[in-house]
Amino acid sequence: DFEGPLPVNAEIEVDWFVDGEKSGRGFGLYPIWTDTMQGRRRSILTEGHWMGKMGSEIYCRMRAKWSDRTGVPSPAIYSDKYFAGIKILTTTVSVSEAGEEALIQMQPTVPIKCLPQFSDACKVTVELAHDSAYKDKKCVDGSMRQVVFGDCSVDFTPDNWDRVHNVSVKAVRDFYKDGNKRMAVNFKPTYSTLSSPLWNNYQLPNVEVVAEDAPTKMCSSTGDPHYNTFDGLYYHVYLEGEFVMYKHK
């Protein structure tokens, strides 16, 4: 939007840019669309001009000039950059095997829109990529089995698109002293047959999850009654009778 007086023989040239690799023409050096306005005060970037560029930063450049092409354009004014897509608010999550769950948080910055007749089923789904062979159907981290998630997908709708959405993640207690594990949580490309095709094949970035090892102790009994206690004591018992090996407080 532009305010202030403007001569009738002047026009405003608005160049729209996409910042990054998705510009398609030199990392944002060239505009994806140029809007030459005369008699208008608002330039609108429609979805047809940035199809396939979800997840980018969008901005514009404005210059005024005479409509008869005489003289030189005014100095350019640049807008702030606006991220259009789904923001991952927690790019790194740490969870302890002995601790509580943590949250992966995400929030769209672009409204979800559908035709009125499809309003009840209008949504864009972000699904965690998981191992389909895992029998309990948990969306887990590939073959490592270090963490499990409370939900395998998040649905964004016209009513909730402007809210923060959470996916809970919890470390699996494996009772092994195997150190901290780092892994990438992947997302499947988004797809929706009802909302705008802008969302189709939108790939969210990975989220790094650190599963922190918990202190582990072990007691055991082997062979003839040879015992190892939790604190490392090794001893033998040759007496008859019943004995309690371990009792929780």
Side-chain angles (χ1 to χ4, degrees):
D1 293 314
F2 304 100
E3 299 178 355
L6 189 68
V8 294
N9 60 337
E11 61 186 23
I12 297 176
E13 182 180 81
V14 180
D15 294 319
W16 289 91
F17 297 88
V18 171
D19 192 28
E21 296 181 5
K22 293 186 178 181
S23 66
R25 299 180 62 188
F27 294 84
L29 296 177
Y30 298 91
I32 58 173
W33 181 54
T34 297
D35 184 12
T36 301
M37 304 192 305
Q38 190 171 12
R40 288 188 291 121
R41 297 287 178 157
R42 171 176 291 183
S43 177
I44 299 176
L45 182 68
T46 60
E47 64 180 40
H49 291 107
W50 61 292
M51 195 71 66
K53 298 175 175 61
M54 190 69 78
S56 304
E57 289 187 317
I58 295 176
Y59 62 100
C60 65
R61 176 183 66 194
M62 183 271 289
R63 295 181 297 185
K65 58 184 181 181
W66 300 115
S67 56
D68 60 4
R69 307 297 178 180
T70 59
V72 296
S74 68
I77 299 175
Y78 288 83
S79 72
D80 294 332
K81 294 181 179 180
Y82 183 81
F83 177 80
I86 298 175
K87 281 187 175 180
I88 303 295
L89 305 179
T90 46
T91 56
T92 301
V93 175
S94 296
V95 285
S96 171
E97 291 182 359
E100 300 295 326
E101 66 182 22
L103 299 176
I104 298 175
Q105 296 186 309
M106 58 187 75
Q107 181 179 14
T109 62
V110 178
I112 310 296
K113 296 292 184 180
C114 294
L115 294 175
Q117 60 266 36
F118 299 128
S119 58
D120 292 340
C122 183
K123 64 181 180 180
V124 172
T125 299
V126 173
E127 185 176 0
L128 276 71
H130 61 281
D131 187 355
S132 60
Y134 201 42
K135 300 304 181 183
D136 63 3
K137 303 302 181 184
K138 296 285 186 182
C139 41
V140 300
D141 54 296
S143 60
M144 297 182 70
R145 315 288 188 237
Q146 294 291 326
V147 296
V148 292
F149 301 91
D151 297 292
C152 296
S153 63
V154 177
D155 291 332
F156 301 108
T157 69
D159 296 327
N160 70 16
W161 73 270
D162 56 346
R163 306 172 195 167
V164 175
H165 295 252
N166 301 319
V167 175
S168 62
V169 54
K170 188 174 179 63
V172 175
R173 187 69 181 269
D174 56 11
F175 296 98
Y176 283 99
K177 190 176 181 180
D178 51 1
N180 297 344
K181 301 293 184 181
R182 292 180 177 270
M183 65 213 71
V185 177
N186 305 307
F187 299 94
K188 294 183 179 179
T190 61
Y191 184 77
S192 176
T193 57
L194 300 179
S195 65
S196 167
L198 272 173
W199 293 100
N200 290 349
N201 296 314
Y202 171 34
Q203 181 65 64
L204 273 71
N206 297 339
V207 173
E208 183 184 55
V209 175
V210 180
E212 300 174 347
D213 208 16
T216 300
K217 295 290 186 179
M218 182 179 293
C219 67
S220 64
S221 174
T222 59
D224 294 334
H226 310 304
Y227 294 90
N228 281 288
T229 63
F230 285 111
D231 57 0
L233 177 63
Y234 180 69
Y235 67 100
H236 316 284
V237 176
Y238 297 106
L239 301 175
E240 295 182 357
E242 295 182 358
F243 302 88
V244 176
M245 182 177 180
Y246 167 74
K247 184 177 181 179
H248 193 277
K249 290 183 179 180

